[in-house]
């Protein structure tokens, strides 16, 4: 993975996606991740070919409005400018949740793309088991961001909302046309302003899709 060191005088792109691996951590009631080789050059086959079996909300992924809003748009209809452009990484001090009180200190503006770096980046992805005590965005925090009319919100674990209040958190954001990126790895990224590229797979009508996400310091 590239670091934030400069390359030929320009900041390098940093991969903030989680590698997809066989048996990797996933949301408890979602499909397990299975990546198996069905053909291999080493076995004498003409090519190496893998079979992928995974949920749409595996690893680094984007949620579509239809994920929690009946009759809403699928992931293939998301606006490109929600996932491409200037983004701000905010480092969250609270080790349990992203709350309104802390959000107010960051002067969040309408139209911003906000990525939350929490304790999840240093502990969540190192564990093969699902961590139910991950840092999440509170329902009140989601409503505050929707009121602020942010464009995009990203977080560094499998869900923006807690296991107990995930539904209203998602509905508050998706119902206000706020794009959600989940499953980021921000461990190699400092707080600051970046160029963001995040492109989910184009799944027709999909409730979500795995994505590759990269940042470059501005």
């Amino acid at each position: 993975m590239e670091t934030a060191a400069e390359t030929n005088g320009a900041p390098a792109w940093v991969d903030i996606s989680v590698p997809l691996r066989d048996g990797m951590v996933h949301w408890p009631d979602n499909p397990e991740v299975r990546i198996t080789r069905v053909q291999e050059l080493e076995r004498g086959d003409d090519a190496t070919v893998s079979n992928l079996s995974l949920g749409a909300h595996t690893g680094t992924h984007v949620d579509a409005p239809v994920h929690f809003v009946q009759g809403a748009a699928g992931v293939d209809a998301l606006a490109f400018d929600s996932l491409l452009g200037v983004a701000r990484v905010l480092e969250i001090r609270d080790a349990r949740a992203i709350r309104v009180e802390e959000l107010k200190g960051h002067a969040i503006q309408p139209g911003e793309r906000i990525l939350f770096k929490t304790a999840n980046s240093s502990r969540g992805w190192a564990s093969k088991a699902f961590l139910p005590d991950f840092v999440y965005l509170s329902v009140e925090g989601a409503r505050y961001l929707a009121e602020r009319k942010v464009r995009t919100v990203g977080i560094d674990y499998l869900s923006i909302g807690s296991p107990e209040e995930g539904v209203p958190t998602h509905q508050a954001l998706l119902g206000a046309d706020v794009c959600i990126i989940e499953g980021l790895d921000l461990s190699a990224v400092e707080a600051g302003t970046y160029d963001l590229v995040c492109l989910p797979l184009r799944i027709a009508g999909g409730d979500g899709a795995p994505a590759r996400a990269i940042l470059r310091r501005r």
Side-chain angles (χ1 to χ4, degrees):
M1 183 180 74
E2 285 188 307
T3 67
E6 291 191 353
T7 303
N8 296 325
W13 287 97
V14 181
D15 195 336
I16 57 171
S17 312
V18 178
L20 294 178
R21 296 189 178 94
D22 183 67
M24 72 181 291
V25 62
H26 59 90
W27 193 259
D29 65 357
N30 278 205
E32 295 183 6
V33 183
R34 291 287 174 253
I35 303 175
T36 54
R37 290 282 174 83
V38 293
Q39 296 180 38
E40 285 196 78
L41 291 169
E42 289 78 3
R43 293 201 306 250
D45 295 319
D46 292 336
T48 295
V49 178
S50 296
N51 180 73
L52 309 181
S53 177
L54 66 163
H57 303 269
T58 295
T60 305
H61 64 277
V62 175
D63 285 353
V66 73
H67 185 33
F68 279 98
V69 180
Q70 188 172 1
V75 71
D76 54 327
L78 291 175
F80 287 130
D81 61 4
S82 293
L83 298 162
L84 301 169
V86 178
R88 193 152 57 107
V89 175
L90 304 183
E91 189 153 6
I92 299 300
R93 301 188 191 93
D94 194 318
R96 191 65 193 98
I98 304 166
R99 308 179 199 275
V100 174
E101 293 75 17
E102 189 166 3
L103 291 174
K104 286 182 176 178
H106 291 287
I108 294 171
Q109 300 300 309
E112 280 202 278
R113 303 173 188 87
I114 301 294
L115 308 181
F116 293 117
K117 179 179 181 178
T118 74
N120 298 332
S121 278
S122 60
R123 65 184 287 267
W125 299 119
S127 173
K128 294 182 180 180
F130 176 75
L131 300 179
D133 60 342
F134 64 90
V135 184
Y136 61 89
L137 176 65
S138 68
V139 176
E140 294 77 15
R143 291 170 180 159
Y144 174 78
L145 293 172
E147 290 170 1
R148 297 298 300 162
K149 299 186 183 301
V150 300
R151 189 191 309 265
T152 302
V153 174
I155 197 164
D156 51 357
Y157 203 56
L158 289 168
S159 176
I160 193 77
S162 71
E164 297 78 21
E165 298 183 325
V167 173
T169 299
H170 280 83
Q171 289 175 336
L173 296 171
L174 296 174
D177 292 324
V178 179
C179 185
I180 299 175
I181 307 172
E182 297 172 326
L184 297 170
D185 180 0
L186 298 172
S187 57
V189 174
E190 298 178 350
T193 305
Y194 295 82
D195 292 315
L196 167 70
V197 175
C198 178
L199 293 178
L201 295 177
R202 191 180 183 185
I203 300 174
D207 49 272
R212 189 72 176 268
I214 57 175
L215 290 178
R216 182 175 61 187
R217 191 83 189 223
R218 291 179 65 85

